[in-house]
Amino acid sequence: MSLAGPDSALSADPATVFDFVPATFPPTPTTELYLKKETVFSSFAIGLSPRDKALVAATQRAAAFGGLNDKSGVPAWKTIPSWYLIGAKDKIIPPKAERAMAERAGSTITEYGGGHLGLMSEPKTVTQEIERAARASAHR
């Protein structure tokens, strides 16, 4: 959650962004979180059709409340090259925060016009960047 930053749609009151299962407060580290349908439609699934947004909302996997604030281990980008796609319309991890993370990692950066779900909204762009990264990695 700290990576998303204050400009993220997720920085609002969690009760307005997530459904908690079980719906007991305060949540425990194992409480499951699901994005509210409104959050999926307005922020998470930008660039998708209403039908695809509904599909994303209905089929999302839960995130554990405790996992959203856990620190990760040693980042892979410290020892291997990385590439980063920045979605100019991303409301979950705003482009400014994405750029800061990508620059810190020394990533090869590409911006595209999509939101958070570039794999779905901009599959050609994402595929091209994966292929570009694979070619560059093969020549190292």
Side-chain angles (χ1 to χ4, degrees):
M1 291 298 289
S2 64
L3 296 176
D7 297 330
S8 170
L10 302 182
S11 67
D13 175 357
T16 67
V17 176
F18 298 105
D19 289 320
F20 295 79
V21 178
T24 56
F25 291 94
T28 68
T30 60
T31 299
E32 293 183 338
L33 301 179
Y34 294 87
L35 290 171
K36 289 185 174 288
K37 184 177 180 181
E38 300 82 33
T39 304
V40 170
F41 273 67
S42 66
S43 302
F44 189 72
I46 290 172
L48 300 183
S49 69
R51 181 173 183 235
D52 285 345
K53 287 178 180 184
L55 181 65
V56 168
T59 61
Q60 65 181 297
R61 294 184 56 180
F65 180 75
L68 291 179
N69 293 307
D70 283 350
K71 302 292 182 199
S72 66
V74 177
W77 54 259
K78 287 197 174 211
T79 58
I80 62 173
S82 67
W83 282 257
Y84 201 109
L85 280 164
I86 296 175
K89 296 177 184 172
D90 196 337
K91 292 185 179 182
I92 300 300
I93 305 176
K96 181 179 175 181
E98 290 186 34
R99 179 165 295 287
M101 288 186 283
E103 288 176 351
R104 180 174 179 223
S107 302
T108 299
I109 300 170
T110 300
E111 288 194 39
Y112 69 102
H116 195 68
L117 299 181
L119 284 168
M120 293 178 72
S121 65
E122 304 279 338
K124 283 185 177 181
T125 300
V126 173
T127 300
Q128 288 171 344
E129 289 306 306
I130 291 170
E131 290 172 344
R132 188 173 126 198
R135 283 191 302 276
S137 295
H139 298 303
R140 288 185 185 252

